[in-house]
Amino acid sequence: MFDKLRRLFLSNRTAAPVVEPAASSRSRTRQHNLFEAAATYVAATADDDQDRMDEASGWVSPEALSFGVSELACRAVIALARERDESPQTVARSLLGLPAP
């Protein structure tokens, strides 16, 4: 399981670049990718910032946001597991306040 998560974390997948559409004379709108939306959403949740959560939720579809949050969770658990020299399962359960398996 750890190897699968490690491959996921170390894979060559990159987020789509942030693209700015052609500007109209009235305004210029910035598009956000799903990883940017997920990072903003999770950080806003941690800060209990409902306005920012709502804003980030509107940047991508609910499905894309869910995928991005899941990917962020996987990467965070892997990073903490490496830092603590523990398994990802142990770290995930610890973060959720669950007993060790």
Side-chain angles (χ1 to χ4, degrees), residues 14-97:
T14 58
V18 175
V19 177
E20 292 193 29
S24 69
S25 59
R26 293 170 47 192
S27 70
R28 187 173 192 147
T29 308
R30 181 169 179 257
Q31 293 181 352
H32 302 273
N33 68 45
L34 67 99
F35 295 116
E36 183 178 18
T40 301
Y41 182 84
V42 169
T45 301
D47 289 336
D48 197 25
D49 183 345
Q50 187 64 49
D51 291 337
R52 192 79 171 132
M53 288 167 51
D54 292 343
E55 180 183 356
S57 294
W59 294 345
V60 295
S61 72
E63 295 82 8
L65 183 61
S66 177
F67 174 79
V69 168
S70 178
E71 184 70 14
L72 177 59
C74 285
R75 292 179 186 202
V77 166
I78 289 169
L80 282 173
R82 287 180 182 160
E83 184 178 297
R84 296 178 181 181
D85 197 27
E86 296 178 347
S87 74
Q89 181 178 14
T90 300
V91 170
R93 295 182 68 86
S94 172
L95 289 171
L96 293 171

